[in-house]
Amino acid sequence: MPEIPLKYSLTIQQFNIEAKNGVLLVPNEGVAGLLIVSTATGYKAYDRCSTVNPENLCKIVPDVGGITVTDPCTDAKWLLMDGSPQKAPAVHYLKSYTVRIQGSQLIQVTN
């Protein structure tokens, strides 16, 4: 997957960002958009580009419950807690980004 420089900030009030199954979907950032989720250990951000055949730019989608995501092109699955592959043909972790929370209103995502 190509390395794209990323520095993205969003405020909690930016409601134009779609939430699906408890996961924020941010378009037009990273390779195929961003996926941001709150976990027990803090916020995690991943690129939505599947790591299975990334050249196809297939966007992963959150599963019901917001615990896993699925590549609709291959049916591969990953765990949102750490981006680890959970179902073949996934073998590589999701591309992750650094998340910083500034105050109670700003989420900053960088690589």
Side-chain angles (χ1 to χ4, degrees):
M1 191 173 349
E3 184 67 30
I4 295 176
L6 176 72
K7 184 169 184 179
Y8 183 77
S9 296
L10 64 106
T11 61
I12 303 302
Q13 285 79 27
Q14 284 180 293
F15 293 112
N16 60 328
I17 295 171
E18 177 188 359
K20 181 171 181 168
N21 297 324
V23 178
L24 290 176
L25 303 177
V26 181
N28 306 318
E29 295 294 335
V31 176
L34 297 179
L35 189 143
I36 302 172
V37 63
S38 177
T39 70
T41 59
Y43 284 95
K44 304 281 184 178
Y46 303 102
D47 204 289
R48 289 191 64 195
C49 186
S50 172
T51 58
V52 177
N53 304 320
E55 65 279 3
N56 294 339
L57 298 176
C58 195
K59 292 181 180 181
I60 57 173
V61 293
D63 296 329
V64 174
I67 304 292
T68 57
V69 290
T70 299
D71 174 347
C73 300
T74 65
D75 206 33
K77 287 190 182 285
W78 293 264
L79 183 65
L80 285 175
M81 297 299 291
D82 61 3
S84 62
Q86 298 297 302
K87 180 181 175 193
V91 294
H92 299 289
Y93 278 67
L94 293 173
K95 167 71 175 145
S96 64
Y97 296 100
T98 301
V99 179
R100 290 185 186 91
I101 306 299
Q102 296 179 349
S104 62
Q105 301 299 310
L106 185 68
I107 299 173
Q108 186 175 55
V109 180
T110 58
N111 62 345

